[in-house]
Amino acid sequence: MPDAISEPAIAPPTSTAPPRPSRSPYVRLLSTPGALAFTLGNLLARLPMGMFSVSAVIMIAGSRGSYALAGAVTATGMAATAVVAPWTARLVDRYGQARIAVPATAVAVCGSLALLLCVHFEAPGWTLFAAYAATATTPNTGGMSRARWAHLLKGDPTALHTANSFEQAADELCFMLGPVVAAFLCGSLFPEAGTLIGAVLLLTGVLVFTAQRATEPPTHGRTATKSPLHARGMPVLLASFLATGAVFGSMEVVTIAFADEAGHKAAAGAVLALQAAGSCVAGLVYGAVRPAGPVARRHPVCVAAMTVLLALPLLAALTGSLLAVAGALLVAGMATAPTMVTGMTLVQARTPEGQLNEGMTLAVTGLLGGIACGAAAGGSAVERLGPTAGYAVPGTASACALALALIGYVRGDYVRRDARDRT
């Protein structure tokens, strides 16, 4: 450059000082054009996911005086979701997020409002089941957000790893805050407030999210490929999600029973929130680093860490101290997010092209089924053996998840397309 040679006084400095640190990976992630807008809308829509079941239980039990009825109604809704959600996700893949998610959300909101009216006006019990079952059309907002990241960050596995970690942390945050917000609204305003405000937030969030058309993944129309259930490695992977869900479901029931036995039942929610908080923090940290090796190898390692750490609540329960259990749950929760992040990354890699929403919804359905089974198993263990021994149930479920993860890895189910799995 002649000018630089003839005028050395204005030449750029040749300092050997270290370069300025790069921005946080999450700042870079949310700087992706359109990402911040759809993320805010999705978070608004996702918060009610942690509100609805608690709101329904408080509302129904307060009106009808029966926790059994309230539990049966919410269980029916969960079962209906397990059946309907994959079909809704398939339609989203085929016709687009905006075209399917908005009307599906409208139907679900109508179901929530119908439940509210049936409870308020003391309609027959069967109407509660029918109304809550209608909420099964609620789209998998977390899955749709992950699908957008997969579309926007295609070819950049490191950024996609950060995005998946961010989404898992968002899940934990929403499911941690949701019950707290629901209980506060129902207690401070009126019993139906949690359901009503949750429905408004859901509809508003989905409308904001789907309005961001520039980041919406392209549709693939009707595909000749079979359901993601038939993809290589998916059955054992989804079974692992089922076992992981059993960890969550049993832990919740057993911890509530332990807190009740210790005379601090009201503190059970705060104790469980610590587990979610530990997972949320771990998810953000995990997303900020670049783990070595393929995700197919990291997944069983993460599940193994979760299995080891889940021994801590059992050991803490032996002391009889609820405070010790709370600390143990905080630490044990730190292995949850990495397990879920690596599992979801494998689901994305195994799912055939054009069926990503359906594949991720199947994983969520597996989790929901596991939560229901785990809650039943945990409750049975508490009644037969007591709350302390009940902490063996989540540990056993985690060991099953580990066995399934190892089976998938040893069989080489995740070796194919491994280049997509590297982060």
Side-chain angles (χ1 to χ4, degrees):
M1 299 175 64
D3 291 342
I5 295 174
S6 61
E7 296 181 40
I10 61 172
T14 56
S15 172
T16 58
R20 296 176 63 184
S22 61
R23 294 179 299 169
S24 160
Y26 294 105
V27 174
R28 295 197 301 270
L29 184 72
L30 295 176
S31 297
T32 304
L36 184 59
F38 84 70
T39 297
L40 292 176
N42 192 271
L43 289 176
L44 195 63
R46 211 182 306 189
L47 179 62
M49 298 300 102
M51 295 174 57
F52 282 132
S53 61
V54 174
S55 298
V57 167
I58 294 174
M59 181 173 62
I60 295 171
S63 173
R64 305 298 173 96
S66 173
Y67 279 99
L69 175 62
V73 169
T74 55
T76 299
M78 188 177 295
T81 299
V83 174
V84 174
W87 292 97
T88 303
R90 180 175 296 183
L91 293 175
V92 168
D93 284 324
R94 185 175 298 173
Y95 299 109
Q97 294 182 351
R99 291 182 63 185
I100 299 301
V102 172
T105 301
V107 173
V109 167
C110 288
S112 294
L113 297 179
L115 176 67
L116 185 155
L117 294 174
C118 289
V119 171
H120 184 78
F121 292 105
E122 300 183 352
W126 66 266
T127 63
L128 307 184
F129 291 91
Y132 204 68
T135 65
T137 61
T138 303
N140 179 11
T141 52
M144 291 193 299
S145 186
R146 288 178 172 92
R148 292 202 179 206
W149 288 122
H151 167 61
L152 295 173
L153 305 175
K154 193 172 184 178
D156 189 349
T158 300
L160 185 58
H161 163 72
T162 301
N164 284 334
S165 300
F166 173 79
E167 291 296 328
Q168 185 58 39
D171 280 340
E172 299 292 349
L173 181 64
C174 291
F175 279 97
M176 177 175 63
L177 294 179
V180 177
V181 173
F184 173 77
L185 292 173
C186 293
S188 61
L189 299 179
F190 48 90
E192 298 88 355
T195 299
L196 178 61
I197 295 177
V200 173
L201 289 175
L202 174 62
L203 183 59
T204 302
V206 168
L207 289 175
V208 172
F209 176 78
T210 55
Q212 316 309 314
R213 302 300 293 269
T215 55
E216 183 175 351
T219 59
H220 296 271
R222 187 182 296 273
T223 61
T225 309
K226 295 181 179 180
S227 167
L229 277 171
H230 301 282
R232 181 182 177 184
M234 282 292 280
V236 69
L237 185 57
L238 294 178
S240 180
F241 271 92
L242 183 72
T244 304
V247 172
F248 303 150
S250 58
M251 186 68 76
E252 181 175 347
V253 172
V254 173
T255 299
I256 292 173
F258 185 86
D260 191 15
E261 185 178 68
H264 301 286
K265 186 176 182 179
V271 173
L272 288 169
L274 285 175
Q275 182 187 13
S279 181
C280 180
V281 172
L284 292 175
V285 172
Y286 187 66
V289 300
R290 183 176 183 177
V295 69
R297 187 168 62 216
R298 284 186 277 114
H299 180 60
V301 171
C302 291
V303 181
M306 181 176 70
T307 303
V308 171
L309 291 180
L310 280 174
L312 296 179
L314 176 59
L315 295 175
L318 293 174
T319 68
S321 169
L322 183 60
L323 186 61
V325 169
L329 286 176
L330 175 65
V331 176
M334 292 181 180
T336 302
T339 297
M340 291 297 299
V341 170
T342 53
M344 279 295 186
T345 303
L346 283 176
V347 169
Q348 291 178 17
R350 297 304 103 197
T351 301
E353 190 74 21
Q355 296 179 296
L356 190 54
N357 282 289
E358 184 178 356
M360 288 188 291
T361 300
L362 286 172
V364 173
T365 299
L367 280 173
L368 291 176
I371 289 172
C373 294
S380 177
V382 165
E383 288 190 2
R384 294 173 181 270
L385 305 173
T388 299
Y391 277 109
V393 176
T396 302
S398 184
C400 292
L402 175 58
L404 290 164
L406 290 172
I407 289 172
Y409 177 70
V410 171
R411 291 195 321 191
D413 286 344
Y414 311 131
V415 173
R416 184 170 59 89
R417 298 167 68 190
D418 196 57
R420 262 183 80 181
D421 300 351
R422 287 187 178 274
T423 57

